[in-house]
Amino acid sequence: MEDTSFAIHPDREEGTEAATYHDIGDVVEWKKAEQGALFHCENGYVFVQFYREDILRITMNPKTVPVLEQSLAIASAKEQAEVDIQSSGEGLIIQTEKLTAILSLSPFRLKVTDAAGRLLLKEEERGMAFRHDGEVRCFKKMEKEDHFYGLGEKTGFLDKRGEKLTMWNSDVFAPHNPETDALYQSVPFFMTIREGKAHGVFLDNTFKTIFDFKREQARYFFSAEGGELDYYIMAGPSPKEVIEQYSWLTGRMELPPKWAIGYHQSRYSYKTAAEVRELVAAFKEKDIPLDAVFLDIHYMDGYRVFTFDQDRFPRPEALIQELSEEGIHVVPIVDPGVKKDPESPVYIEGIRGGHFCQYAEGDLYTGEVWPGISVFPDFFHDSVRQWWGEQHKFYTDMGIEGIWNDMNEPAVFNETKTMDLEVLHNYDGELKTHRELHNAYGLFMGMATYQGLKQQLNGKRPFLLTRAGFSGIQRYAAVWTGDNRSFWEHLQMSMPMCMNLGISGIPFSGADVGGFAHDAAEELLVRWTQLGAFMPYFRNHSNLGTVRQEPWSFGDKAESIIKQFIQLRYRWLPYIYTLFREAHQTGMPVMRALILEYPDDIQTVNLSDQFLLGEHVLVAPITKPNTSHRAVYLPEGEWYDYWTDQKMSGKRHILAEAEWDQLPLFIKEGAILPQADTFKPADQLSIHIYPGNEVSEFLLYDDDGETFAYQNGDYFELNIKAWKKGSTAYIEIDERHSGYTPTWKDISINVHGAVARMVINGKEQ
Ligand code: GLC
């Protein structure tokens, strides 16, 4: 019925909801509590507590004193903070050096300012409220200059002002469009940027949550269908500091194995070992670098996880071994649904161990997915995660080091698209409904898989790709944006989507290059590969029955350009890998919205079709057919065209020309870009320097790219400093850390711009 005009039936208009909400009311009494205060209000309790000097945690519970339990998304324990509490005319002031919470007591209202007295958040006539059906809600004043970012994986433009967004992990095969709301990931976190300054809010709640920046002009709200209203306010004040704060809270990614950031080829499905061999041989023959081949669901015996179809893949271990000798990894798909099959050992073992999700009465939950009627592991219990992780020995014993988790929202083929909400999960001893934990199912599957692989890989880094996730998924997996289509609009959309994933603490993301569903075409694949080469995760994947979209599928011209850009990706890997190191250390996204680096520049507020790779590289892909030019915004500073070295001043729009074989790419003065001249292995490194009048610095990072030895100091750091005086470029190179010897045999220095002399470490060259 939703597909007909019935959807706009006159009786369906939403009523005024205000009446159904109960305000938290006046403060009846309050007392000091650890790093904050506890308020007993007319209609409930509120805990205001500093979690770290620059992170304030607010927890409201209408019924009881909040428990302040450590939630499943949080990765760091509360830090000691100097907290000062004073009564004031307005009520009560609770503050650290970084943040001030001002509480008025009748009714209870919160206002937060930073050290400089700048207003972050304010509640006016409406503040914290709840409904008797369990919903909790929080209203905040929305200033005219507020813009909103983050919120995970969402369609639409970069800035979410004017949008209402729902967090409910959903498998959406229908074409993703600006109205598509809930997708596969839920990240109930947003960053507000107001006149160049930022703060963050993380609503730590796994129930269905809503963020509404649309309904009212001067107020927004966020709400959860159940649980406590438990949220963290992050002080900023810069957007990058908010990301540091949020990623400290929810965790950061490990370094990926280097092979995970190369080029990956997938298809639903490469159906036989022979087809896989042919594919790999074609890459080799055409000299197109490749790091991984994906096995979609057809590799399995009747879609049973932890099996190989004996006819299609008679000796999988031999295939994997053979490919590994070519330097290629095989990544099989693993979905959560286990076929209900009494002859399947995984099913029987899981049943015996009580590992599958059940109803309160003890009946198993079953739902239909690829293998037919299936059961679903209850990943919320440690012993189930352990068990599931161990199953992966089936793959790791064959030499597999990467797994692709799909359908883990979990997706089920029924009306609601997922598991019954009344199914119970055993959250390490505590029973919680699927309604409460739905959004975290993929996160916990990721945890089980990643930890299992890590245990089995003897010190090697696992790679996990996931479709579903929740805040914190970055600790275990890279995220791809699910079932996009071979539409130019989807190429466009992949940029704001992945930029916001980056702001949401998930630096390792990408979209299916070429588009998954619908048919790719020559020009689209060329342009999408150019974009993909500069996205954090780079995989070409397509659906059953669609036109083939391997790099050579559209003839010689497209093939040679696609090859050139895949090779370019490999040249850029030393730089990209260093950016991943930064993501690992500080949470900073590899692919950055311009607003992160230029928050004061009004032009960047909703700039959705160009992005930065790190700080100094600006990528502006062509996003339309039959087009060889586009407008590019260059922010302040001096910029170089990557291809011609033509220098341009920024803070203006330019018209960039880019024939099929080009991608508008700009390098900012001050950039220091290490690039490999060869790939797999990189044995010659060129450091490209674009010196400016001010000193710029880059800390090049490298390690073995495959083990965790870097955690014990086995890594390499080269600090490079550069500046220019007149026509002389000064460069200082100093090895900061020598725990690992890179594969480069030679390093050459290339200086760009008008430079006549070069002085390296004090010596004229
Ligand atoms: C889902 C995935 C897609 C995969 C397909 C078959 O649609 O999103 O990537 O190819 O299932 O496994």
Side-chain angles (χ1 to χ4, degrees), residues 268 296-297 333 335 370 404 406-407 467 480 482-483 512 516 539 541:
Y268 174 24
D296 208 323
I297 53 175
I333 195 167
D335 294 352
W370 308 124
W404 170 20
D406 186 28
M407 304 290 277
R467 194 170 74 174
W480 102 101
D483 294 343
D512 283 343
F516 174 69
R539 182 183 77 152
H541 179 50

PDB file of all heavy atoms in Angstrom, residues 268 296-297 333 335 370 404 406-407 467 480 482-483 512 516 539 541, ligand 1:
ATOM      1  N   TYR A 268      29.322 -11.080  -7.992  1.00  0.00           N
ATOM      2  CA  TYR A 268      28.333 -12.031  -7.490  1.00  0.00           C
ATOM      3  C   TYR A 268      27.932 -12.879  -8.682  1.00  0.00           C
ATOM      4  O   TYR A 268      27.102 -12.450  -9.466  1.00  0.00           O
ATOM      5  CB  TYR A 268      27.172 -11.253  -6.883  1.00  0.00           C
ATOM      6  CG  TYR A 268      25.968 -12.057  -6.428  1.00  0.00           C
ATOM      7  CD1 TYR A 268      26.058 -13.401  -6.083  1.00  0.00           C
ATOM      8  CD2 TYR A 268      24.714 -11.438  -6.346  1.00  0.00           C
ATOM      9  CE1 TYR A 268      24.939 -14.099  -5.660  1.00  0.00           C
ATOM     10  CE2 TYR A 268      23.598 -12.141  -5.912  1.00  0.00           C
ATOM     11  CZ  TYR A 268      23.716 -13.468  -5.583  1.00  0.00           C
ATOM     12  OH  TYR A 268      22.613 -14.155  -5.169  1.00  0.00           O
ATOM     13  N   ASP A 296      31.812 -14.774  -3.673  1.00  0.00           N
ATOM     14  CA  ASP A 296      30.455 -14.498  -3.203  1.00  0.00           C
ATOM     15  C   ASP A 296      29.759 -15.843  -2.967  1.00  0.00           C
ATOM     16  O   ASP A 296      30.363 -16.920  -3.118  1.00  0.00           O
ATOM     17  CB  ASP A 296      29.725 -13.607  -4.221  1.00  0.00           C
ATOM     18  CG  ASP A 296      28.643 -12.745  -3.578  1.00  0.00           C
ATOM     19  OD1 ASP A 296      27.977 -13.232  -2.641  1.00  0.00           O
ATOM     20  OD2 ASP A 296      28.441 -11.599  -4.018  1.00  0.00           O
ATOM     21  N   ILE A 297      28.484 -15.795  -2.626  1.00  0.00           N
ATOM     22  CA  ILE A 297      27.817 -16.975  -2.043  1.00  0.00           C
ATOM     23  C   ILE A 297      27.866 -18.278  -2.846  1.00  0.00           C
ATOM     24  O   ILE A 297      27.672 -19.349  -2.276  1.00  0.00           O
ATOM     25  CB  ILE A 297      26.348 -16.675  -1.684  1.00  0.00           C
ATOM     26  CG1 ILE A 297      25.602 -16.098  -2.881  1.00  0.00           C
ATOM     27  CG2 ILE A 297      26.282 -15.705  -0.520  1.00  0.00           C
ATOM     28  CD1 ILE A 297      24.103 -15.893  -2.619  1.00  0.00           C
ATOM     29  N   ILE A 333      32.816 -14.762   1.341  1.00  0.00           N
ATOM     30  CA  ILE A 333      31.708 -14.127   2.055  1.00  0.00           C
ATOM     31  C   ILE A 333      31.251 -15.066   3.171  1.00  0.00           C
ATOM     32  O   ILE A 333      31.253 -16.299   3.000  1.00  0.00           O
ATOM     33  CB  ILE A 333      30.554 -13.814   1.082  1.00  0.00           C
ATOM     34  CG1 ILE A 333      29.541 -12.834   1.665  1.00  0.00           C
ATOM     35  CG2 ILE A 333      29.843 -15.080   0.626  1.00  0.00           C
ATOM     36  CD1 ILE A 333      28.561 -12.271   0.626  1.00  0.00           C
ATOM     37  N   ASP A 335      27.953 -15.036   5.768  1.00  0.00           N
ATOM     38  CA  ASP A 335      26.733 -14.411   6.284  1.00  0.00           C
ATOM     39  C   ASP A 335      26.398 -15.056   7.625  1.00  0.00           C
ATOM     40  O   ASP A 335      26.818 -16.179   7.905  1.00  0.00           O
ATOM     41  CB  ASP A 335      25.573 -14.641   5.302  1.00  0.00           C
ATOM     42  CG  ASP A 335      25.788 -13.932   3.962  1.00  0.00           C
ATOM     43  OD1 ASP A 335      26.746 -13.142   3.852  1.00  0.00           O
ATOM     44  OD2 ASP A 335      25.010 -14.185   3.028  1.00  0.00           O
ATOM     45  N   TRP A 370      19.717 -16.768   2.156  1.00  0.00           N
ATOM     46  CA  TRP A 370      20.169 -17.518   0.964  1.00  0.00           C
ATOM     47  C   TRP A 370      20.056 -19.039   1.116  1.00  0.00           C
ATOM     48  O   TRP A 370      19.596 -19.712   0.183  1.00  0.00           O
ATOM     49  CB  TRP A 370      21.607 -17.165   0.567  1.00  0.00           C
ATOM     50  CG  TRP A 370      21.894 -15.706   0.400  1.00  0.00           C
ATOM     51  CD1 TRP A 370      22.854 -14.999   1.050  1.00  0.00           C
ATOM     52  CD2 TRP A 370      21.238 -14.778  -0.481  1.00  0.00           C
ATOM     53  NE1 TRP A 370      22.836 -13.680   0.643  1.00  0.00           N
ATOM     54  CE2 TRP A 370      21.864 -13.516  -0.292  1.00  0.00           C
ATOM     55  CE3 TRP A 370      20.179 -14.873  -1.397  1.00  0.00           C
ATOM     56  CZ2 TRP A 370      21.481 -12.373  -0.987  1.00  0.00           C
ATOM     57  CZ3 TRP A 370      19.794 -13.728  -2.086  1.00  0.00           C
ATOM     58  CH2 TRP A 370      20.448 -12.510  -1.870  1.00  0.00           C
ATOM     59  N   TRP A 404      34.523 -11.545   4.400  1.00  0.00           N
ATOM     60  CA  TRP A 404      33.533 -10.541   4.002  1.00  0.00           C
ATOM     61  C   TRP A 404      32.215 -10.889   4.703  1.00  0.00           C
ATOM     62  O   TRP A 404      31.623 -11.915   4.412  1.00  0.00           O
ATOM     63  CB  TRP A 404      33.417 -10.625   2.473  1.00  0.00           C
ATOM     64  CG  TRP A 404      32.312  -9.865   1.827  1.00  0.00           C
ATOM     65  CD1 TRP A 404      31.611  -8.820   2.317  1.00  0.00           C
ATOM     66  CD2 TRP A 404      31.803 -10.112   0.503  1.00  0.00           C
ATOM     67  NE1 TRP A 404      30.698  -8.393   1.382  1.00  0.00           N
ATOM     68  CE2 TRP A 404      30.796  -9.160   0.263  1.00  0.00           C
ATOM     69  CE3 TRP A 404      32.127 -11.038  -0.498  1.00  0.00           C
ATOM     70  CZ2 TRP A 404      30.079  -9.124  -0.931  1.00  0.00           C
ATOM     71  CZ3 TRP A 404      31.411 -10.990  -1.684  1.00  0.00           C
ATOM     72  CH2 TRP A 404      30.405 -10.033  -1.900  1.00  0.00           C
ATOM     73  N   ASP A 406      28.378 -10.226   5.335  1.00  0.00           N
ATOM     74  CA  ASP A 406      27.249  -9.590   4.660  1.00  0.00           C
ATOM     75  C   ASP A 406      25.955 -10.024   5.346  1.00  0.00           C
ATOM     76  O   ASP A 406      25.958 -10.950   6.165  1.00  0.00           O
ATOM     77  CB  ASP A 406      27.275 -10.023   3.181  1.00  0.00           C
ATOM     78  CG  ASP A 406      26.233  -9.294   2.362  1.00  0.00           C
ATOM     79  OD1 ASP A 406      25.868  -8.161   2.709  1.00  0.00           O
ATOM     80  OD2 ASP A 406      25.773  -9.882   1.353  1.00  0.00           O
ATOM     81  N   MET A 407      24.846  -9.375   5.004  1.00  0.00           N
ATOM     82  CA  MET A 407      23.519  -9.736   5.511  1.00  0.00           C
ATOM     83  C   MET A 407      23.478  -9.712   7.042  1.00  0.00           C
ATOM     84  O   MET A 407      22.652 -10.356   7.672  1.00  0.00           O
ATOM     85  CB  MET A 407      23.127 -11.143   5.025  1.00  0.00           C
ATOM     86  CG  MET A 407      23.167 -11.326   3.531  1.00  0.00           C
ATOM     87  SD  MET A 407      21.874 -10.432   2.642  1.00  0.00           S
ATOM     88  CE  MET A 407      20.505 -11.584   2.802  1.00  0.00           C
ATOM     89  N   ARG A 467      29.050  -5.226   5.997  1.00  0.00           N
ATOM     90  CA  ARG A 467      27.973  -4.358   5.507  1.00  0.00           C
ATOM     91  C   ARG A 467      27.297  -3.647   6.679  1.00  0.00           C
ATOM     92  O   ARG A 467      27.037  -2.460   6.620  1.00  0.00           O
ATOM     93  CB  ARG A 467      26.959  -5.184   4.711  1.00  0.00           C
ATOM     94  CG  ARG A 467      26.024  -4.300   3.917  1.00  0.00           C
ATOM     95  CD  ARG A 467      25.183  -5.078   2.942  1.00  0.00           C
ATOM     96  NE  ARG A 467      24.128  -5.824   3.598  1.00  0.00           N
ATOM     97  CZ  ARG A 467      23.175  -6.507   2.937  1.00  0.00           C
ATOM     98  NH1 ARG A 467      23.183  -6.549   1.611  1.00  0.00           N
ATOM     99  NH2 ARG A 467      22.242  -7.164   3.591  1.00  0.00           N
ATOM    100  N   TRP A 480      31.726  -1.338   3.495  1.00  0.00           N
ATOM    101  CA  TRP A 480      31.346  -0.871   2.160  1.00  0.00           C
ATOM    102  C   TRP A 480      29.871  -0.535   2.176  1.00  0.00           C
ATOM    103  O   TRP A 480      29.129  -1.022   3.026  1.00  0.00           O
ATOM    104  CB  TRP A 480      31.755  -1.895   1.099  1.00  0.00           C
ATOM    105  CG  TRP A 480      30.649  -2.761   0.574  1.00  0.00           C
ATOM    106  CD1 TRP A 480      29.981  -2.611  -0.604  1.00  0.00           C
ATOM    107  CD2 TRP A 480      30.082  -3.927   1.191  1.00  0.00           C
ATOM    108  NE1 TRP A 480      29.039  -3.604  -0.746  1.00  0.00           N
ATOM    109  CE2 TRP A 480      29.081  -4.419   0.339  1.00  0.00           C
ATOM    110  CE3 TRP A 480      30.312  -4.588   2.417  1.00  0.00           C
ATOM    111  CZ2 TRP A 480      28.314  -5.546   0.651  1.00  0.00           C
ATOM    112  CZ3 TRP A 480      29.551  -5.710   2.725  1.00  0.00           C
ATOM    113  CH2 TRP A 480      28.579  -6.166   1.837  1.00  0.00           C
ATOM    114  N   GLY A 482      27.202  -1.147   0.630  1.00  0.00           N
ATOM    115  CA  GLY A 482      26.092  -2.028   0.268  1.00  0.00           C
ATOM    116  C   GLY A 482      25.690  -1.943  -1.187  1.00  0.00           C
ATOM    117  O   GLY A 482      26.490  -1.594  -2.061  1.00  0.00           O
ATOM    118  N   ASP A 483      24.415  -2.244  -1.412  1.00  0.00           N
ATOM    119  CA  ASP A 483      23.951  -2.450  -2.782  1.00  0.00           C
ATOM    120  C   ASP A 483      23.614  -1.152  -3.508  1.00  0.00           C
ATOM    121  O   ASP A 483      22.454  -0.789  -3.685  1.00  0.00           O
ATOM    122  CB  ASP A 483      22.745  -3.385  -2.776  1.00  0.00           C
ATOM    123  CG  ASP A 483      23.148  -4.774  -2.301  1.00  0.00           C
ATOM    124  OD1 ASP A 483      24.365  -5.071  -2.296  1.00  0.00           O
ATOM    125  OD2 ASP A 483      22.260  -5.552  -1.920  1.00  0.00           O
ATOM    126  N   ASP A 512      30.915   0.074  -3.862  1.00  0.00           N
ATOM    127  CA  ASP A 512      31.222  -0.834  -4.965  1.00  0.00           C
ATOM    128  C   ASP A 512      31.532  -0.019  -6.222  1.00  0.00           C
ATOM    129  O   ASP A 512      30.666   0.674  -6.763  1.00  0.00           O
ATOM    130  CB  ASP A 512      30.033  -1.767  -5.230  1.00  0.00           C
ATOM    131  CG  ASP A 512      29.939  -2.890  -4.196  1.00  0.00           C
ATOM    132  OD1 ASP A 512      30.944  -3.141  -3.491  1.00  0.00           O
ATOM    133  OD2 ASP A 512      28.863  -3.519  -4.106  1.00  0.00           O
ATOM    134  N   PHE A 516      26.919  -1.850  -8.004  1.00  0.00           N
ATOM    135  CA  PHE A 516      26.579  -3.273  -7.808  1.00  0.00           C
ATOM    136  C   PHE A 516      25.440  -3.705  -8.730  1.00  0.00           C
ATOM    137  O   PHE A 516      25.616  -4.499  -9.641  1.00  0.00           O
ATOM    138  CB  PHE A 516      26.225  -3.500  -6.334  1.00  0.00           C
ATOM    139  CG  PHE A 516      25.715  -4.875  -6.034  1.00  0.00           C
ATOM    140  CD1 PHE A 516      26.555  -5.987  -6.113  1.00  0.00           C
ATOM    141  CD2 PHE A 516      24.378  -5.088  -5.673  1.00  0.00           C
ATOM    142  CE1 PHE A 516      26.073  -7.267  -5.840  1.00  0.00           C
ATOM    143  CE2 PHE A 516      23.898  -6.360  -5.387  1.00  0.00           C
ATOM    144  CZ  PHE A 516      24.752  -7.454  -5.481  1.00  0.00           C
ATOM    145  N   ARG A 539      37.161  -1.446  -4.147  1.00  0.00           N
ATOM    146  CA  ARG A 539      36.723  -2.748  -4.661  1.00  0.00           C
ATOM    147  C   ARG A 539      35.698  -2.569  -5.770  1.00  0.00           C
ATOM    148  O   ARG A 539      34.735  -1.826  -5.606  1.00  0.00           O
ATOM    149  CB  ARG A 539      36.113  -3.586  -3.536  1.00  0.00           C
ATOM    150  CG  ARG A 539      35.682  -4.983  -3.998  1.00  0.00           C
ATOM    151  CD  ARG A 539      34.998  -5.782  -2.894  1.00  0.00           C
ATOM    152  NE  ARG A 539      33.620  -5.347  -2.680  1.00  0.00           N
ATOM    153  CZ  ARG A 539      32.636  -6.129  -2.217  1.00  0.00           C
ATOM    154  NH1 ARG A 539      32.899  -7.388  -1.886  1.00  0.00           N
ATOM    155  NH2 ARG A 539      31.415  -5.655  -2.037  1.00  0.00           N
ATOM    156  N   HIS A 541      32.727  -4.375  -7.613  1.00  0.00           N
ATOM    157  CA  HIS A 541      31.824  -5.504  -7.333  1.00  0.00           C
ATOM    158  C   HIS A 541      30.533  -5.309  -8.122  1.00  0.00           C
ATOM    159  O   HIS A 541      30.079  -4.176  -8.289  1.00  0.00           O
ATOM    160  CB  HIS A 541      31.525  -5.552  -5.835  1.00  0.00           C
ATOM    161  CG  HIS A 541      30.584  -6.648  -5.408  1.00  0.00           C
ATOM    162  ND1 HIS A 541      30.749  -7.975  -5.773  1.00  0.00           N
ATOM    163  CD2 HIS A 541      29.466  -6.618  -4.640  1.00  0.00           C
ATOM    164  CE1 HIS A 541      29.764  -8.713  -5.240  1.00  0.00           C
ATOM    165  NE2 HIS A 541      28.973  -7.906  -4.549  1.00  0.00           N
TER     166      HIS A 541
HETATM  167  C1  GLC B   1      24.021  -8.708  -0.859  1.00  0.00           C
HETATM  168  C2  GLC B   1      25.328  -7.944  -0.813  1.00  0.00           C
HETATM  169  C3  GLC B   1      26.045  -8.075  -2.132  1.00  0.00           C
HETATM  170  C4  GLC B   1      26.256  -9.560  -2.416  1.00  0.00           C
HETATM  171  C5  GLC B   1      24.928 -10.294  -2.428  1.00  0.00           C
HETATM  172  C6  GLC B   1      25.098 -11.798  -2.569  1.00  0.00           C
HETATM  173  O1  GLC B   1      23.163  -8.106  -1.759  1.00  0.00           O
HETATM  174  O2  GLC B   1      25.138  -6.606  -0.482  1.00  0.00           O
HETATM  175  O3  GLC B   1      27.267  -7.397  -2.107  1.00  0.00           O
HETATM  176  O4  GLC B   1      26.895  -9.717  -3.644  1.00  0.00           O
HETATM  177  O5  GLC B   1      24.242 -10.053  -1.227  1.00  0.00           O
HETATM  178  O6  GLC B   1      25.853 -12.334  -1.563  1.00  0.00           O
END
